[in-house]
Amino acid sequence: MSDPYVKQHIENGIGYITFFHPAHNSLPSDILGQLADTITTAGANESIKVIVLKSGGERTFCAGASFKELINIDNAESGQVFFSGFANVINAMRKCPKFIIGRIQGKTVGGGVGLASATDYCMATKFASIKLSELNVGIGPFVVGPAVERKLGLSGMSQIAIDANSFYTAEWAQEKGLFTKVYDSTDELDIAVKEFAENLSSYNPEAMKEMKRMFWKGTEDWDVLLAERAKISGRLVLSDFTKETLKRFA
C-alpha cells in the first residue's frame, strides 16, 4: 500500500495539489496540516495562477475524517485540535487569493464534502456521490457545515446531514450547485479540468483575486466560527454513543 502524501506540481501556471491516504483518502491530522500549508503556500506563489485540488486513486475522492484517529481521541482538547484541522483547510481555501478548482473523481463523505464545497469551481464524475455521515456516528457536520451550506443552501445541507445513511448522486449535487459539471469518466473529467484551468490561468490575476474576495464576502467570521464548531465536535466525539459506534466501524 502507498504511503499517505500531499504533493504539488506546477504545469502551465496551474498548481495541482494532490492528497492521498490508502484508507480511501481519509484525512488524519498530519495530512490536514500539510494540505492547509500547501494551499496557503500555493496562494502566495506568483508562478501559480489557478489551483486544482484533487486526490489520488480512482474510487474515492475523500472518506472524511480518519476513524483510526477519531477513536483514539480521549479528551476534549485533542478532539478540538483534530477537528480544527478541517477548519484550517477550509479557511486556507477561503483565504487563498486564487481560484481553486475541485476535481472530484469518486465518492465523497463527511469532511470530503466540506473540501469540495470550499472550492470555487467543482467538477466531478457521475460516480462522485456525496454523503454527510457525521450524525450516523454521533457527531454532526459542524465544522464543514458552513461551507456545505454555502454551496447547497440550508435546505440541501440539512437534507443530507439528517439523512446521514444515504449517498446522494452527483447529479443531485449538480442540481444543488455543488458540482458545476458532471462527466462520464475520470479521463473526461481530467481533460475538462485541465482545459478549464489553463483557460482560466490566462485571465487577469488581479481580477480573479477581486472576484474571489467578492464571492466569499460574508465569511470573514469563519476563523472564529469554525473554531467554535471544532470545539463542539471535539466534545461530542467523547460521548459513549460515538465511541461505541466508532468501534463498530473500525
Side-chain angles (χ1 to χ4, degrees):
M1 297 177 71
S2 300
D3 294 329
Y5 63 76
V6 175
K7 296 179 180 179
Q8 175 190 287
H9 78 277
I10 304 171
E11 183 180 333
N12 298 328
I14 313 302
Y16 292 90
I17 297 174
T18 308
F19 66 90
F20 172 77
H21 193 284
H24 305 290
N25 288 326
S26 60
L27 294 170
S29 294
D30 57 343
I31 294 294
L32 288 168
Q34 291 176 49
L35 197 51
D37 290 344
T38 304
I39 291 167
T40 299
T41 301
N45 188 334
E46 293 184 359
S47 65
I48 294 175
K49 308 303 180 187
V50 176
I51 296 169
V52 171
L53 179 66
K54 56 188 295 189
S55 65
E58 294 294 325
R59 298 175 62 86
T60 306
F61 171 70
C62 179
S66 167
F67 275 21
K68 183 177 180 180
E69 192 162 346
L70 281 178
I71 203 168
N72 288 319
I73 293 173
D74 58 6
N75 62 77
E77 291 73 21
S78 60
Q80 181 177 1
V81 168
F82 173 77
F83 287 103
S84 292
F86 285 94
N88 293 338
V89 174
I90 290 172
N91 278 322
M93 296 171 73
R94 173 178 66 88
K95 295 174 183 177
C96 179
K98 294 157 186 176
F99 286 142
I100 300 175
I101 299 169
R103 178 259 197 193
I104 317 299
Q105 81 279 19
K107 286 185 175 180
T108 305
V109 179
V113 181
L115 295 191
S117 298
T119 64
D120 299 295
Y121 195 95
C122 201
M123 305 161 76
T125 71
K126 64 183 181 181
F127 306 107
S129 54
I130 65 173
K131 177 167 72 169
L132 285 183
S133 60
E134 288 89 343
L135 186 61
N136 200 25
V137 295
I139 312 174
F142 297 108
V143 175
V144 302
V148 178
E149 181 181 341
R150 178 175 170 269
K151 280 293 176 73
L152 297 182
L154 179 58
S155 176
M157 192 278 285
S158 61
Q159 182 177 343
I160 62 172
I162 293 171
D163 186 11
N165 286 317
S166 298
F167 274 101
Y168 283 73
T169 66
E171 289 75 17
W172 183 91
Q174 182 181 24
E175 289 172 3
K176 296 295 183 181
L178 174 58
F179 299 150
T180 56
K181 295 180 181 178
V182 173
Y183 297 88
D184 287 335
S185 69
T186 302
D187 288 341
E188 289 181 30
L189 172 65
D190 285 337
I191 291 170
V193 167
K194 183 175 186 292
E195 181 179 308
F196 184 80
E198 290 184 357
N199 182 61
L200 197 61
S201 70
S202 68
Y203 297 162
N204 184 349
E206 287 300 313
M208 291 190 285
K209 180 179 179 180
E210 292 298 331
M211 285 178 67
K212 175 143 186 178
R213 183 180 291 121
M214 176 182 69
F215 293 151
W216 285 88
K217 185 178 180 180
T219 65
E220 294 82 5
D221 66 335
W222 279 21
D223 282 329
V224 174
L225 175 64
L226 299 192
E228 292 173 346
R229 297 291 187 85
K231 189 174 183 178
I232 296 171
S233 294
R235 171 172 52 83
L236 288 172
V237 77
L238 298 175
S239 69
D240 291 339
F241 181 99
T242 299
K243 287 296 186 184
E244 290 303 315
T245 303
L246 286 173
K247 287 178 183 176
R248 292 199 302 272
F249 277 106

